Amino acid sequence: MIVSENQVLDWSDRLSLWVFPQDARNLHFWPQNPTGFREMLNEYAEKVKFVEQTLYKAIAKSLNLEENSFLNMIGERAPVRARFNFYPRCSRPDLVLGVKPHTDRGGITILLQDKEVEGLQVRVDGKWFKVPIIPDALVINLGDQMKIMSNGIFKSPLHRVVTNTEKLRISVAVVSEAVVDKEIGAVEGLVNEERPRLYNNVKNFGAVAYESYQNEQIAMDAIKA
Ligand SMILES: O=C(O)CCC(=O)C(=O)O
Ligand SMILES: [Fe+2]
């Protein structure tokens, strides 16, 4: 989407569909071609939601918290989106990225990568590392909302997608985040003298993050405590 004149565009086309809550699905945008797409997305979304909930619980338990701590904070009607990323071949991969460096804004992202074409890179200690392809494996990525809720214990890694001249690439990211107008913040028990609050409580973090991304700024800086 073009929102400003000096915006740097990504070399990709995206289709983003709400999958949960179910009554918020806008089926009008769900492709009917290929046949079976809707049914398959429905089935995939259900399964991925289960994985996501299991992860929220496991992360809470790993911090000695009640297992529903994060799930309660994001809310029962926490929105989940499926984002289909299509990266066409690009004649100048040296000039343009498939997706600019970013952190995911939600809680947990579950990514199904292309089975054959690499592209995803993650920033560790100031260097970019390729995320390897393991066919049919799911890549679990934590987003800014997880970092806020865990008071910085779980990080949201910076990542980007590079393009290439030879092959197009596709991926599907399923992203869960907090109910839009629900305030989120560090979960009780994770703020103490040794670990002061890192981020202010925030509502509608998605909007803050979206605007920052378009202006190539870091949303997490805007909400530092
Ligand atoms: O295409 C990928 O591998 C990752 C895409 C991504 O970072 C995203 O959709 O947030
Ligand atoms: Fe991402």
Side-chain angles (χ1 to χ4, degrees):
M1 199 191 299
I2 298 177
V3 292
S4 78
E5 260 179 38
N6 46 13
Q7 184 187 345
V8 179
L9 297 179
D10 292 333
W11 193 264
S12 62
D13 290 325
R14 278 175 222 151
L15 171 67
S16 188
L17 299 173
W18 294 102
V19 288
F20 293 112
Q22 272 210 28
D23 57 20
R25 288 182 183 180
N26 193 340
L27 289 178
H28 174 70
F29 293 123
W30 288 41
Q32 280 177 292
N33 181 17
T35 330
F37 172 88
R38 290 179 171 191
E39 212 173 306
M40 201 175 289
L41 178 57
N42 180 46
E43 192 184 337
Y44 184 68
E46 290 285 354
K47 289 186 171 154
V48 166
K49 187 179 179 178
F50 175 76
V51 175
E52 229 155 35
Q53 294 193 334
T54 307
L55 285 166
Y56 277 117
K57 289 181 188 173
I59 292 172
K61 282 197 202 160
S62 77
L63 298 171
N64 293 324
L65 299 168
E66 197 281 310
E67 70 170 9
N68 289 313
S69 301
F70 296 114
L71 286 170
N72 289 342
M73 187 166 276
I74 64 172
E76 213 167 286
R77 284 175 57 81
V80 179
R81 273 173 310 139
R83 184 164 57 232
F84 297 82
N85 300 303
F86 172 70
Y87 307 95
R89 277 181 287 270
C90 177
S91 59
R92 294 298 303 269
D94 53 324
L95 293 181
V96 68
L97 289 163
V99 186
K100 290 187 286 295
H102 68 283
T103 53
D104 286 354
R105 70 184 195 192
I108 298 178
T109 302
I110 299 195
L111 180 75
L112 185 62
Q113 289 202 88
D114 198 290
K115 282 187 200 178
E116 286 164 19
V117 187
E118 282 180 342
L120 179 60
Q121 300 183 340
V122 64
R123 188 96 172 157
V124 184
D125 296 333
K127 286 194 203 128
W128 289 108
F129 289 87
K130 283 182 193 173
V131 175
I133 297 173
I134 305 171
D136 299 319
L138 298 172
V139 176
I140 310 295
N141 192 10
L142 300 182
D144 293 338
Q145 295 190 10
M146 194 67 226
K147 191 173 181 185
I148 297 168
M149 293 189 293
S150 69
N151 201 22
I153 296 175
F154 282 88
K155 314 279 187 268
S156 48
L158 195 67
H159 55 285
R160 67 178 188 182
V161 177
V162 295
T163 55
N164 76 83
T165 51
E166 303 293 314
K167 286 182 176 166
L168 56 86
R169 179 174 182 274
I170 51 173
S171 69
V172 186
V174 176
V175 184
S176 73
E177 57 191 314
V179 167
V180 172
D181 49 10
K182 200 170 179 307
E183 189 171 88
I184 61 159
V187 163
E188 222 183 287
L190 298 182
V191 180
N192 51 44
E193 259 173 39
E194 289 103 75
R195 187 173 275 282
R197 179 182 300 279
L198 287 183
Y199 301 104
N200 293 320
N201 287 2
V202 60
K203 258 189 203 178
N204 200 359
F205 178 73
V208 180
Y210 183 73
E211 205 176 310
S212 306
Y213 179 70
Q214 300 301 353
N215 296 318
E216 297 188 59
Q217 283 161 0
I218 296 169
M220 296 299 268
D221 289 345
I223 58 156
K224 274 200 177 131

